[in-house]
Amino acid sequence: MALINQATKELQVKVVYYGPALCGKTTNLVKVHENVQTAQEKGKLVSLATSSDRTLFFDFLPIEAMSIKGFKTKFQLYTVPGQVIYNTTRQLVLRGVDGIVFVADSQYEKMAENVESFANLEENLKANKLNLDEIPYVLQYNKRDLPNVAPVDYMEYLLNNREVRVPAFEASAHKVEGVFETLNAITRLLLQKFINESKKPA
Amino acid sequence: MSTLPQLLEEDVQELNKALEELLTRSEATTALVTDKAGFCIVQQGDLDTFDATSLGALASNSFNANQAIAQMINEPNFNTVYQQGEKHSMLVMDVDEFTVLIIIFPAAVSVGMVKYYAAQAAQVISRQLMIAKSRSPGQGIDLAMLNMEDSSQLFKKKDL
C-alpha cells in the first residue's frame, strides 16, 4: 500500500497495468514515458522482457505528478506479463498495489481472453489479501483503431458490469490516444481515496 | 490489509542513522530500506552512481521472487539474496513483513562482514518501524497538504 512519509512530505503510489497477453500494457508505459511532461529528470523505464519483447517479469516506470502541491507525489507504474503461464509473477507484481488499470484488447476474438484475465485479476488480488471492491481501478479498451473491434457497449457488458461501474476509456495506445486520459483517471481516483481516508478519524 | 506506518522526522532520522552506521562499519557503498511493494523509504551512500528508485524496485521484487521460490520448495529460511559481481556485490535482507534492506558493496569486501552488520542494522530498522506503527496504528493519514491544483491533468502530454 502507498507509502506516506510525513518527514519528507512524500507520497508513493503503485499502479499496475493488468490485462491479457499482447493487449498493449507495455505500450501504455512506453508512450507515457516518451510523451509525458516532467518537472524534473524523467525516471527510467525498466523492462524485464524476453528477446522478443514479451514482458517476462514486469515493466517499471517511476514518475512524478506535476500539478499536485504539498506532497511530492511519486507514482510507480508497473505492468504484469500477460501470458497465462506467468501467474506467479503477476501475483508478485500485485503486492502492495494501490490502483489498477485493466487494459482490454478490443478485437472481437480477444473477448474471451479479456474476461479470463479480469477473473484472473480478481483471483490474484485475493491471493494478496486484496479485494477489487476496495481498490480503485479503471478500464481501458485498447486497439480501437483496428477494423475488427467489438462495440464499446458489448465490452462494458462483459467487463464493467460489477455493482459499481468504473470509468472506461477507448484507446489506441500506440498512437498515444487514451493513454493519458486513462492514467489521469486512475490517479484522480487514487488521490481522492487517500484524501477521503485521511479525513476519517484515526 | 495492514501496511507500513506513517513515518515522522524522528523515524527517518533513526533509519538514516542505522544506514550510516552500517556503511561506515561494513565498508559498503550504498544502503537502502524499501517497502516490499518497491517503494524506497530511506537511502544512504553513493546515490549519484545508482538510481535508488529503480534499484529499490528491482531489488525488492527480486527478493519477493526469491520468497516465492522458497514457498515452492518448502524452505522457510530464504531471508537474504546475495549477488556476487566483479566490481560490486549486492545483499538484500529481510527486515520485517513489509520491508527489506538493500546493500551495495565493493566485491572485494567480505560478504560475511556485510551480513553481520546488516543484521544489526535490520534490527534497529525493525524496532523503529515498530515504534512508528505503535504511534499511529492503522489509518489516520494526514493528507491535508495535498492540493490538486488542476485535477484534470495530473500528467500532461508534451506538445508536439
Side-chain angles (χ1 to χ4, degrees):
Chain A
M1 294 289 163
L3 173 67
I4 297 155
N5 190 333
Q6 297 278 5
T8 52
K9 293 267 177 286
E10 218 174 66
L11 172 66
Q12 295 190 57
V13 183
K14 179 173 181 175
V15 175
V16 174
Y17 282 67
Y18 207 97
L22 296 172
C23 67
K25 302 176 290 293
T26 300
T27 307
N28 265 274
L29 256 61
V30 169
K31 294 300 169 187
V32 168
H33 185 241
E34 284 175 358
N35 293 284
V36 72
Q37 282 184 33
T38 47
Q40 296 172 343
E41 200 183 332
K42 199 159 43 173
K44 279 187 194 141
L45 174 64
V46 178
S47 279
L48 305 182
T50 66
S51 53
S52 54
D53 272 349
R54 303 291 298 275
T55 304
L56 184 61
F57 197 163
F58 57 78
D59 307 299
F60 168 70
L61 176 62
I63 188 172
E64 195 174 321
M66 279 179 74
S67 58
I68 303 168
K69 304 285 186 227
F71 267 74
K72 204 185 261 187
T73 316
K74 292 179 170 177
F75 288 80
Q76 301 202 341
L77 310 184
Y78 284 80
T79 66
V80 295
Q83 293 175 82
V84 174
I85 52 168
Y86 295 135
N87 198 43
T88 309
T89 313
R90 280 192 291 278
Q91 278 184 17
L92 287 176
V93 178
L94 282 174
R95 179 169 187 150
V97 66
D98 296 298
I100 294 164
V101 173
F102 185 85
V103 182
D105 190 326
S106 293
Q107 298 175 91
Y108 255 120
E109 64 268 26
K110 298 287 184 179
M111 288 306 127
E113 283 179 46
N114 288 331
V115 171
E116 191 185 337
S117 177
F118 195 86
N120 174 258
L121 166 64
E122 291 187 282
E123 277 169 28
N124 281 339
L125 285 172
K126 274 184 200 153
N128 274 294
K129 294 177 190 155
L130 297 168
N131 185 340
L132 200 53
D133 293 330
E134 291 159 10
I135 293 183
Y137 73 100
V138 297
L139 297 166
Q140 183 189 80
Y141 303 140
N142 194 21
K143 306 195 183 184
R144 296 307 298 175
D145 54 329
L146 294 182
N148 54 337
V149 295
V152 169
D153 284 350
Y154 182 54
M155 295 189 74
E156 286 279 288
Y157 169 71
L158 290 177
L159 300 167
N160 205 2
N161 59 3
R162 294 162 59 86
E163 205 169 316
V164 178
R165 294 183 79 182
V166 299
F169 298 88
E170 295 181 52
S172 300
H174 73 112
K175 294 181 181 169
V176 208
E177 289 170 10
V179 169
F180 279 82
E181 291 80 352
T182 310
L183 177 59
N184 279 319
I186 188 63
T187 308
R188 261 197 313 277
L189 286 181
L190 268 170
L191 294 175
Q192 207 50 60
K193 184 187 171 201
F194 292 135
I195 290 168
N196 289 344
E197 281 180 358
S198 77
K199 286 174 186 162
K200 285 183 197 165
Chain B
M1 187 187 177
S2 56
T3 180
L4 269 177
Q6 285 186 68
L7 300 176
L8 304 181
E9 193 86 41
E10 61 191 81
D11 302 318
V12 173
Q13 273 175 10
E14 286 302 313
L15 298 180
N16 277 328
K17 206 167 102 188
L19 294 190
E20 278 168 13
E21 269 179 33
L22 166 64
L23 291 181
T24 310
R25 289 177 177 175
S26 68
E27 298 173 33
T29 320
T30 309
L32 300 90
V33 178
T34 71
D35 160 56
K36 284 180 185 168
F39 302 128
C40 196
I41 302 169
V42 286
Q43 67 264 355
Q44 285 294 317
D46 180 3
L47 299 165
D48 297 325
T49 316
F50 307 114
D51 167 10
T53 306
S54 297
L55 184 65
L58 289 169
S60 56
N61 277 289
S62 141
F63 184 85
N64 292 342
N66 222 48
Q67 295 274 297
I69 294 168
Q71 279 180 4
M72 281 177 185
I73 62 171
N74 283 326
E75 170 53 59
N77 198 25
F78 269 16
N79 56 3
T80 56
V81 175
Y82 169 50
Q83 293 292 339
Q84 185 176 19
E86 270 183 35
K87 290 181 189 165
H88 297 103
S89 296
M90 180 183 77
L91 182 75
V92 185
M93 182 176 274
D94 209 9
V95 172
D96 61 22
E97 192 184 346
F98 304 108
T99 329
V100 287
L101 171 61
I102 300 160
I103 305 146
I104 308 289
F105 55 100
V109 170
S110 148
V111 64
M113 182 170 75
V114 175
K115 242 184 190 173
Y116 176 75
Y117 290 117
Q120 291 183 354
Q123 279 185 5
V124 176
I125 294 161
S126 171
R127 206 179 310 133
Q128 192 61 38
L129 291 174
M130 290 277 280
I131 292 169
K133 193 156 201 165
S134 62
R135 188 192 302 129
S136 66
Q139 298 180 342
I141 48 179
D142 175 17
L143 292 181
M145 296 283 287
L146 204 63
N147 171 22
M148 291 150 70
E149 277 185 343
D150 176 7
S151 65
S152 65
Q153 279 199 306
L154 295 158
F155 291 102
K156 290 177 187 162
K157 197 163 124 183
K158 273 190 289 202
D159 297 323
L160 296 174

